Every structure is written in structure tokens, then in C-alpha cells.
Amino acid sequence: MFDDRSPIYRQIADRIKADVANGTLSPDEQVMSTNQYASFYAINPATAAKAFAQLVDEGVLYKRRGVGMFVSPGAREALVSDKRTKYFDAVLGPALDEAEAIGIDPKDIFEFLAARTKRDPK
């Protein structure tokens, strides 16, 4: 499950965020405890706790004292909105800059998108 590209706690947080963003985890749904997570994935409980603390700080999870951690209402919408913003900034912005640099007319981009949308509606 884990790779060497980033710290394990960040990979845990990213996995939970992805599960919230894609609807696998629903608002107010309880998630595994840090000890359950650590046991299941054979990692240090402090590593899992660091990931969960980060998610609480970011508003993705909230803690019910004595009960556990739960997905925050509105977390999915916030995560999807953040991903959309990052997509426009990291993917579409540079693509449009490149298109402009090589002389692609914006009208051609609109036509391409319209044709692509008709071919593969989603």
C-alpha cells in the first residue's frame, strides 16, 4: 500500500482524502481508529495518529471524544473544489499557455472541446 515517494503519514492522509472525495467514505461515517489502522497496515500507531491529526486540522475528519473519528460534513465538497482548482492551475493553465505560445487560436480549443464532449459525453 505504501511507497517510498512520500512519508507514510502523508500517504495515509492522501488515501483517506481520496476516499472522501470519491464518495467511498460518506459524511459522518466513522473511520478506523488510529490503532486499528496501525494494526491493519502494520505501521506505527504514531504514524497513523499524525495522519489523522492532519486530517482533523484540515477539516476532513472530526473527532467525537470517546467514540472515534468521522468524516466531516462538507469535506467531500471542499476536497473536490480544491482538486478542481489545482487541476485548472496545474493542468489547464499550462496547457493554455502552451497553446498560446505555439499559436493555437482559442476558437480551435473551443471547437476541440465541443467535439470531444459530443463524442464522449459524461
Side-chain angles (χ1 to χ4, degrees):
M1 170 180 178
F2 304 113
D3 59 44
D4 293 333
R5 291 180 287 169
S6 63
I8 291 174
Y9 81 91
R10 189 170 300 144
Q11 293 178 59
I12 293 167
D14 288 346
R15 173 70 51 95
I16 292 172
K17 285 181 193 179
D19 287 345
V20 171
N22 69 28
T24 301
L25 290 171
S26 302
D28 295 311
E29 182 175 342
Q30 187 170 12
V31 297
M32 283 192 280
S33 72
T34 55
N35 288 333
Q36 289 170 323
Y37 208 92
S39 176
F40 186 81
Y41 290 106
I43 60 171
N44 187 318
T47 301
K50 186 172 182 177
F52 281 63
Q54 176 184 329
L55 293 168
V56 169
D57 289 345
E58 293 176 5
V60 176
L61 299 179
Y62 68 94
K63 185 185 297 188
R64 286 188 194 161
R65 190 169 182 205
V67 180
M69 297 280 201
F70 296 81
V71 176
S72 297
R76 180 180 189 282
E77 292 78 8
L79 289 169
V80 169
S81 176
D82 184 56
K83 286 182 82 140
R84 286 175 55 91
T85 299
K86 287 179 181 175
Y87 177 79
F88 281 107
D89 291 345
V91 177
L92 287 183
L96 292 174
D97 292 343
E98 178 69 14
E100 182 180 20
I102 61 174
I104 295 176
D105 189 304
K107 181 180 144 201
D108 294 333
I109 294 171
F110 289 121
E111 289 173 0
F112 174 83
L113 291 172
R116 181 75 179 252
T117 303
K118 287 179 186 173
R119 183 183 83 213
D120 188 21
K122 289 186 181 177

